[in-house]
Amino acid sequence: MNCQSVVTRCGCLCICEEDGYVVKIEFNRTCDGKIDKMILEQLLDYLRGVRKDLTFQVKVSGTEFQKRVWYALRNIPYGHTITYKDLAIKLGTSPRAIGQALKANPLPVYFPCHRVVGKNSLGGFTGGLDWKKMLLGTEGCSL
DNA sequence: GCTTTTTAGCCCG
DNA sequence: CGGGCTAAAAAGC
């Protein structure tokens, strides 16, 4: 497994790759190594707001439920948000269960968990709310 | 399997 | 603005 970290205006980001698949993305973590240049460029362009979709291959590990939630995130259009509650209704589950699944998301940004917000608050985020705000800002969401 | 714990939410006073 | 509540999934047994 190869990991490489990059520095953004919100702190550093560590991306891990295995056999050409991205397996993990972590905030505020540095790591030493190099990953596929194309993957890195895609991600950086996304963070710059130049690119709106991520097409690299990923390898996902999680429970069936978690995967269901994570893939559902990819149906939220760029620049849009949804509440935990509405997503829960859509998937026939509860808001808190959604929160649990999002917390366990190994590939934030690729699975855009930052597009899920609370009804009357921002909700939480792995790596801190600053990241969430930054990502939403880049996508042009009104906070 | 059943029971306990945990939760990045929600609603109501 | 706090407290209490709830449902559901994961962890533990």
Side-chain angles (χ1 to χ4, degrees), chain A residues 23-34:
Chain A
V23 294
K24 202 200 275 184
I25 298 177
E26 280 179 288
F27 296 102
N28 314 322
R29 182 95 135 235
T30 52
C31 46
D32 216 2
K34 291 280 181 192

Side-chain angles (χ1 to χ4, degrees), chain A residues 84 113 116 122-126 128-129 132:
Chain A
Y84 292 94
C113 51
V116 186
L122 250 187
F125 200 69
T126 42
L129 284 170
K132 195 169 189 171

